[in-house]
Amino acid sequence: MRVLLLEDNPSDAYLTRRSVIQALPDCLIDLATNVKSAKQNLEQTVYDIALLDIRLPDGYGFEVLEKIVAEDLKIPVIMLTGTGDEETAISVLRAGASDYVIKGPGYTSKLPEIIQFALQSYREKLHERSELIHVLYIEHNQVDIDLTTRHLKQYAPFIQLTIVYSAYDALNILRHEKNKEKFSVILLDYRLTDSDAFDFVKTVRQEYCIELPIIMITGHGSEEIAVQAMKIGVNDYLSKSGNYLLRLPTGIINAHQTYILKRKQLELIESERKYRLLAENAADVIFVLDMEFNYQYISPAVKRLRGYEPEEVLRQKMSDVLTPSSIEKAYEVFRAMMASINQAVDKSKIVRILELEMIRKDGSTVWTEVKTSLILDDNGNASGILGVTRDISVRKQTMDELRKLTRAIEQSPVSVVITDLNGSIEYANPKFSEITGYSLEESKGCNPRILKTGYTRDEEYKKLWEQITSGGEWRGEFQNKRKDGSTYWENAIISPIRNSLGEITHFVAVKEDVTEKKQIMNELIIQKEHAEESDRLKTAFIQNISHEIRTPLNAIVGFSSILANSDVPNEKRKEFIKIIENSNDQLLSIISGIINIATLESGIDKIIEKETDLNNVMRNVYAQLKSSKKTPDLVFDPPVLPAKKILLITDPVKLMQVLVNLVGNALKFTSKGYVKFGYSIQDNIVKFFVEDTGIGIPNDMQDLIFQRFRQLDNSSTRKYGGTGLGLALSKGYVSLLGGKISLVSEPGKGSYFSFTIPYKPVLSHGSGHEDIIGQVPRLKTILVAEDELNSYYYIHQLLTMHENRVVRASNGLDAINRCKESLPDLVLMDIKMPVMDGLEATRIIRESHPGLPVIALTAFALEADKKLIMETGFDGFIEKPVKPDKLFEVMMKVLNNIT
């Protein structure tokens, strides 16, 4: 393989050469550093492929590409560019390049594969170009020329037009003998500027004797003109109306194929005529055998049949003439003839015809038809056998082919129907009966219209009939009806059957049931649309989540680096710490949302029901969100919650998460007015609602926003933040809680979200426990099992600040040993650690220290994980990141035996 590389950058040239040679070690690469030298190389050397940089010191790689295309050098071209914009890509491909490569990081590793693909694609293009249909197009109207050229270039590039503007120019071209063979079809407008179209056709047909198919185009659509055109030799007639341009490629293809087929048929007819003439003048082989089956006479025609002279055959035995299987057949027939002599009234009429395989002089065999009769003496006794031998090799082969074709049609997976000129069915293969439910006997004599459903318009059937009766082929689809009334789709090809005179005698339809294929295609289109929509949503989500995560992370990293400076005033330090804490909460909320939606969709997430005070949940929601935004007003409905507890059994964590999501969304999308939320209990159902005076939600988005990643605005310039997971999560949680969520909204006026859960009242409950939040344990020995040094150091600082003694274990096994040595009052146990995890370590510690309280420290924050950990034997649960208040609260509950 020889490669032309146009590249002025030494570094890029070296990388490109190395990559190509490593993948294609036998290739030769000629490097040109400017446009001039590249053009010179093309004039001196034949290349298999060219790699051209776009920008060069003395010009552009486009100039070299133009030279390759203009001179038809048959070289695939790959353009190398430093920019990857769409405009550049379109430009290079339109100019004739096979592909283009952006010179980005790692681009050289892709070059070998791109080169192989370009070579293969280019070979396929060359093959397509070798099968072009060349059309002589006579048209004076430039608008029609432009429309036709553009349409064929886009939809039928294999149809190449040679455009002339007058009949005179066309006749000058066709006058030369070589041009007659150049074109496949003549396409002319009925309105010619310098001649009558009919005179032009007569000149082409009668004076020039050109049989090329002619298609006439007119804007009139007159049937009289069409009939007149057909009479003088026009093959097809198209009216410039409706979908004329869509029909034009098919018309050209049909005219070309019909012409080729007709020419082949004429050639075949001529061949058959010569063969028939030869066969009629050829003498059959005549022979005489005695009763011992020895030759007594053989005619000279045997020389042509078997290659032997007659004298040679007379000395041959039957085993020299026939193959073993044919000898047995011949002897059996001859014996049967002899046995029938006594029973025959007219012995001269004892005749047998059989097929025998004979051996030729060159060792090959030939199939023959042998007609034998008895030679009788004067007394009526058989004295010999008279035979006439005819070569039937061609006939036998034809019959074998006919049997194959018959079996092929009978066993065909598609329907084959043959009708007479009136459209009445004469034959239908078994597949037709299988698909339609009509047997051959039922369908014979019927018109295929028994299958009509009314879906296809009568105009289409009329066009079909006109097409096939004029000798053309029709292709299309039908929605048909079976005998039982069910419908199905068929892809059909209907064409005329002609006799040896070229007359149409029948029509044949080959039809394939494409019902399932169409269903699959429709499903694939729907799946493709869903996949594309999913990809768009995922892309928007990734961009969105990147922004949402980086924003609080930027504050955490930025203000943490500022706090490292000891010169920061104390007031500012407190302000920065508060910002870091808020950003940390925001980041945790985002991560929790992603984890929650993943566990919800995977089916891992479960509800954990317990006694819950509805009023307390509502107060917590209010307290959590009231401080998050000053406007609009956040209010209860009713305005004041009753002091008494409203207790029921539900999952308070998920219930509060739904309320926080809905109220938080309402606050985010409401700039003025109010956000109101509350609940009511009726008929064993608790109905919660969140009402706002915000921007509202369009009708077409009210179902979509409950899908994951969906937001009203997914653009990079969107006004409102968020991950797009809140409503999907809320809908999933409400479903888990046994309820439904609904929405009523109007853009510009606000939204009303509501959801229900079952009301499972608490019949009785015990007294509450002492409030110990804010208390801090002191003067205790606490074992902290934590493998991460930074996490341990943080907890160590929290505990030692309150005069606690802290002992560290770096893994589960170490924790077991430290318990024996230090006898701690409390163990804070990480769950995931090397050597031995916290679950196994706690089980062993329980065996030797049964009363020792153990609190789990873990990043596993799912409710199912918490439940599993507590069932393992832990006294308490603290999820990471650890907050001081939460740590001390749980420690005090555990140390005071509060459950």
Side-chain angles (χ1 to χ4, degrees):
M1 178 184 293
R2 191 137 194 170
V3 181
L4 174 61
L5 174 60
L6 175 58
E7 178 61 74
D8 64 315
N9 187 304
S11 175
D12 288 349
Y14 170 77
L15 291 173
T16 302
R17 285 174 63 97
R18 186 179 67 175
S19 173
V20 175
I21 290 174
Q22 284 178 351
L24 307 168
D26 296 331
C27 74
L28 296 174
I29 300 178
D30 293 342
L31 176 64
T33 58
N34 54 56
V35 173
K36 181 179 179 182
S37 60
K39 290 182 177 179
Q40 291 173 348
N41 285 355
L42 287 171
E43 293 172 357
Q44 300 168 2
T45 308
V46 176
Y47 292 99
D48 296 290
I49 194 166
L51 309 178
L52 309 178
D53 189 18
I54 289 184
R55 298 183 181 277
L56 283 307
D58 61 337
Y60 294 91
F62 280 108
E63 299 173 43
V64 181
L65 173 61
E66 289 172 355
K67 177 180 176 67
I68 291 172
V69 174
E71 297 180 9
D72 195 21
L73 297 181
K74 294 182 173 56
I75 304 172
V77 177
I78 298 174
M79 302 299 294
L80 306 176
T81 175
T83 59
D85 58 283
E86 184 177 353
E87 183 177 352
T88 303
I90 294 173
S91 299
V92 300
L93 294 175
R94 280 182 174 174
S98 299
D99 207 341
Y100 79 104
V101 177
I102 303 170
K103 294 191 287 187
Y107 81 95
T108 55
S109 63
K110 304 174 183 176
L111 266 180
E113 182 180 349
I114 294 173
I115 290 173
Q116 292 295 347
F117 180 77
L119 288 168
Q120 180 182 348
S121 300
Y122 196 78
R123 282 194 291 268
E124 292 174 357
K125 279 187 178 181
L126 288 178
H127 179 70
E128 291 175 2
R129 287 174 58 185
S130 68
E131 299 179 347
L132 297 177
I133 298 177
H134 293 279
V135 178
L136 180 61
Y137 182 25
I138 310 165
E139 173 62 74
H140 66 281
N141 189 312
Q142 190 60 48
V143 174
D144 285 348
I145 292 173
D146 291 341
L147 289 172
T148 303
T149 304
R150 191 181 309 119
H151 182 80
L152 293 180
K153 185 175 181 181
Q154 181 175 2
Y155 297 104
F158 53 88
I159 298 176
Q160 298 291 306
L161 298 179
T162 298
I163 302 170
V164 294
Y165 296 88
S166 67
Y168 176 81
D169 293 334
L171 290 174
N172 278 338
I173 292 174
L174 294 172
R175 185 175 291 113
H176 300 285
E177 196 65 32
K178 63 178 182 179
N179 288 336
K180 294 180 182 179
E181 297 297 323
K182 174 182 177 182
F183 297 103
S184 306
V185 178
I186 298 174
L187 181 66
L188 77 151
D189 190 78
Y190 173 69
R191 297 287 186 183
L192 300 180
T193 56
D194 60 336
S195 174
D196 183 80
F198 290 165
D199 290 337
F200 172 82
V201 175
K202 290 177 182 177
T203 301
V204 169
R205 291 286 189 241
Q206 299 171 12
E207 183 177 340
Y208 285 21
C209 298
I210 295 175
E211 296 299 323
L212 288 175
I214 299 175
I215 301 175
M216 184 176 288
I217 310 167
T218 178
H220 295 284
S222 167
E223 184 176 346
E224 181 180 351
I225 295 175
V227 171
Q228 190 176 353
M230 295 297 183
K231 285 181 178 179
I232 64 171
V234 173
N235 299 79
D236 203 353
Y237 180 86
L238 298 178
S239 174
K240 296 179 185 176
S241 60
N243 56 355
Y244 150 73
L245 286 176
L246 295 177
R247 292 183 286 116
L248 182 58
T250 303
I252 293 173
I253 294 169
N254 288 341
H256 172 64
Q257 291 179 344
T258 302
Y259 172 71
I260 296 298
L261 181 61
K262 184 176 180 180
R263 190 164 65 180
K264 288 182 178 179
Q265 287 175 336
L266 291 174
E267 292 172 355
L268 180 61
I269 291 170
E270 178 63 17
S271 175
E272 290 176 347
R273 187 187 68 80
K274 291 179 180 178
Y275 175 80
R276 190 164 51 248
L277 180 64
L278 180 63
E280 288 171 355
N281 288 277
D284 293 334
V285 178
I286 302 171
F287 65 89
V288 175
L289 300 175
D290 62 19
M291 299 309 293
E292 301 296 327
F293 305 118
N294 297 313
Y295 278 103
Q296 300 299 306
Y297 171 80
I298 191 81
S299 68
V302 73
K303 172 76 173 178
R304 185 166 53 252
L305 179 67
R306 297 182 53 223
Y308 290 100
E309 296 294 340
E311 293 77 14
E312 294 177 289
V313 177
L314 291 175
R315 295 191 295 269
Q316 289 181 334
K317 297 178 181 179
M318 196 60 66
S319 60
D320 299 324
V321 178
L322 301 175
T323 62
S325 59
S326 290
I327 289 176
E328 290 298 323
K329 186 190 295 185
Y331 285 167
E332 183 180 347
V333 171
F334 293 157
R335 285 193 292 267
M337 290 176 66
M338 299 301 296
S340 62
I341 291 177
N342 296 329
Q343 289 80 26
V345 177
D346 186 354
K347 297 179 182 179
S348 64
K349 293 184 179 180
I350 301 176
V351 177
R352 297 288 186 273
I353 299 175
L354 64 160
E355 293 182 0
L356 300 175
E357 189 176 14
M358 292 187 174
I359 302 171
R360 296 173 60 86
K361 191 172 184 177
D362 61 5
S364 62
T365 60
V366 58
W367 277 98
T368 62
E369 179 185 82
V370 181
K371 183 178 181 180
T372 62
S373 59
L374 293 174
I375 301 174
L376 304 175
D377 59 18
D378 294 339
N379 298 320
N381 297 320
S383 60
I385 300 172
L386 174 66
V388 179
T389 303
R390 177 173 297 170
D391 185 347
I392 61 165
S393 300
V394 174
R395 188 182 78 186
K396 189 170 180 62
Q397 183 180 357
T398 302
M399 291 300 295
D400 288 342
E401 293 295 327
L402 184 59
R403 278 192 290 271
K404 290 178 186 176
L405 291 173
T406 302
R407 291 194 198 100
I409 293 175
E410 293 293 324
Q411 300 171 15
S412 173
V414 297
S415 298
V416 179
V417 179
I418 298 176
T419 72
D420 61 18
L421 293 177
N422 296 319
S424 299
I425 297 174
E426 291 188 358
Y427 169 82
N429 71 341
K431 191 65 177 181
F432 171 84
S433 300
E434 178 187 331
I435 292 175
T436 65
Y438 290 100
S439 66
L440 176 58
E441 291 71 22
E442 289 176 307
S443 57
K444 265 188 175 181
C446 296
N447 192 286
R449 69 172 62 96
I450 61 175
L451 306 175
K452 286 178 62 174
T453 61
Y455 181 87
T456 304
R457 295 179 302 167
D458 291 340
E459 291 80 2
E460 290 298 318
Y461 285 110
K462 183 179 179 182
K463 290 178 182 177
L464 182 160
W465 191 250
E466 290 174 351
Q467 180 79 3
I468 62 175
T469 53
S470 63
E473 182 183 86
W474 185 90
R475 294 171 179 259
E477 282 188 347
F478 292 118
Q479 186 193 59
N480 282 339
K481 180 174 62 177
R482 299 183 180 91
K483 185 178 179 180
D484 63 7
S486 61
T487 60
Y488 64 100
W489 283 94
E490 278 190 323
N491 194 338
I493 302 174
I494 304 175
S495 56
I497 300 175
R498 299 176 183 270
N499 61 15
S500 58
L501 300 177
E503 300 168 336
I504 298 175
T505 60
H506 295 81
F507 299 108
V508 59
V510 179
K511 302 185 290 182
E512 179 186 7
D513 185 347
V514 294
T515 307
E516 184 176 356
K517 191 181 296 184
K518 286 179 73 72
Q519 290 174 347
I520 293 172
M521 186 62 67
N522 291 335
E523 290 172 4
L524 287 175
I525 291 172
I526 294 171
Q527 291 175 9
K528 176 176 176 290
E529 291 173 349
H530 286 172
E532 289 174 347
E533 176 67 10
S534 178
D535 286 343
R536 286 194 293 270
L537 290 176
K538 287 178 182 177
T539 300
F541 171 72
I542 290 171
Q543 295 171 345
N544 186 19
I545 205 66
S546 175
H547 169 77
E548 295 295 327
I549 290 176
R550 289 175 183 273
T551 300
L553 196 58
N554 181 59
I556 293 170
V557 174
F559 284 107
S560 295
S561 63
I562 294 175
L563 288 175
N565 187 349
S566 59
D567 296 334
V568 177
N570 192 45
E571 288 300 318
K572 283 290 183 182
R573 185 179 297 275
K574 291 179 180 179
E575 180 184 347
F576 295 165
I577 290 172
K578 186 63 176 176
I579 292 172
I580 291 172
E581 289 175 346
N582 291 338
S583 298
N584 181 62
D585 291 342
Q586 184 181 349
L587 189 60
L588 282 176
S589 175
I590 294 168
I591 295 172
S592 297
I594 298 171
I595 294 173
N596 288 341
I597 197 69
T599 56
L600 179 65
E601 292 190 351
S602 65
I604 297 173
D605 212 345
K606 307 294 181 185
I607 61 171
I608 300 177
E609 295 183 325
K610 59 183 177 181
E611 183 179 306
T612 304
D613 180 2
L614 279 185
N615 288 339
N616 190 47
V617 169
M618 303 299 280
R619 292 189 190 96
N620 288 340
V621 172
Y622 183 85
Q624 182 174 331
L625 296 176
K626 179 60 179 175
S627 59
S628 64
K629 191 170 183 179
K630 294 181 180 179
T631 58
D633 291 335
L634 179 62
V635 296
F636 285 123
D637 186 11
V640 179
L641 288 172
K644 70 174 184 177
K645 296 181 179 180
I646 303 297
L647 299 176
L648 76 162
I649 302 298
T650 190
D651 187 326
V653 175
K654 288 183 172 54
L655 175 59
M656 185 162 178
Q657 182 69 57
V658 174
L659 287 167
V660 167
N661 284 345
L662 295 180
V663 176
N665 269 359
L667 290 169
K668 179 167 63 174
F669 292 103
T670 304
S671 59
K672 60 182 179 179
Y674 63 86
V675 172
K676 185 187 300 181
F677 72 106
Y679 72 90
S680 61
I681 302 174
Q682 187 176 3
D683 298 331
N684 295 320
I685 294 294
V686 183
K687 179 180 179 181
F688 297 87
F689 72 89
V690 178
E691 181 183 0
D692 65 63
T693 56
I695 62 174
I697 301 167
N699 287 334
D700 59 349
M701 290 294 292
Q702 290 183 13
D703 289 331
L704 294 177
I705 60 169
F706 286 102
Q707 299 177 11
R708 59 194 175 110
F709 311 146
R710 283 285 191 176
Q711 294 180 289
L712 287 178
D713 182 8
N714 278 324
S715 66
S716 59
T717 58
R718 63 199 181 97
K719 179 179 178 181
Y720 304 98
T723 62
L725 298 176
L727 289 178
L729 199 60
S730 297
K731 183 178 180 181
Y733 282 170
V734 168
S735 179
L736 281 178
L737 292 170
K740 293 183 180 179
I741 192 168
S742 60
L743 164 65
V744 177
S745 183
E746 185 176 348
K749 294 186 178 181
S751 302
Y752 182 87
F753 284 87
S754 63
F755 68 94
T756 61
I757 64 171
Y759 177 54
K760 303 176 185 177
V762 177
L763 300 179
S764 62
H765 55 85
S767 59
H769 299 294
E770 181 184 358
D771 185 5
I772 58 171
I773 297 175
Q775 298 183 34
V776 180
R778 289 182 174 84
L779 300 176
K780 298 288 183 181
T781 298
I782 302 172
L783 172 63
V784 179
E786 172 62 69
D787 61 315
E788 292 288 341
L789 182 59
N790 289 337
S791 295
Y792 165 74
Y793 184 65
Y794 168 61
I795 295 172
H796 176 273
Q797 290 297 314
L798 292 177
L799 297 175
T800 55
M801 287 169 60
H802 299 284
E803 303 177 4
N804 291 294
R805 175 173 172 260
V806 178
V807 178
R808 184 194 178 199
S810 59
N811 57 63
L813 185 59
D814 191 21
I816 295 170
N817 296 329
R818 294 285 185 179
C819 275
K820 296 177 181 177
E821 298 170 0
S822 59
L823 300 175
D825 300 293
L826 177 69
V827 178
L828 299 178
M829 180 73 72
D830 189 18
I831 297 300
K832 186 177 180 182
M833 292 185 294
V835 183
M836 181 185 292
D837 64 33
L839 296 175
E840 180 65 15
T842 300
R843 186 186 64 77
I844 296 173
I845 290 173
R846 286 285 188 223
E847 293 176 356
S848 57
H849 302 78
L852 179 61
V854 182
I855 298 174
L857 290 176
T858 179
F860 296 110
L862 301 179
E863 291 298 324
D865 296 327
K866 296 177 184 178
K867 185 177 181 182
L868 174 63
I869 290 170
M870 296 304 292
E871 289 175 351
T872 304
F874 287 86
D875 298 284
F877 180 98
I878 300 173
E879 64 183 54
K880 296 180 180 180
V882 177
K883 295 185 178 181
D885 290 346
K886 183 66 176 178
L887 173 65
F888 297 140
E889 176 189 347
V890 175
M891 287 173 61
M892 289 303 298
K893 284 184 177 181
V894 170
L895 290 172
N896 287 278
N897 295 319
I898 298 176
T899 59

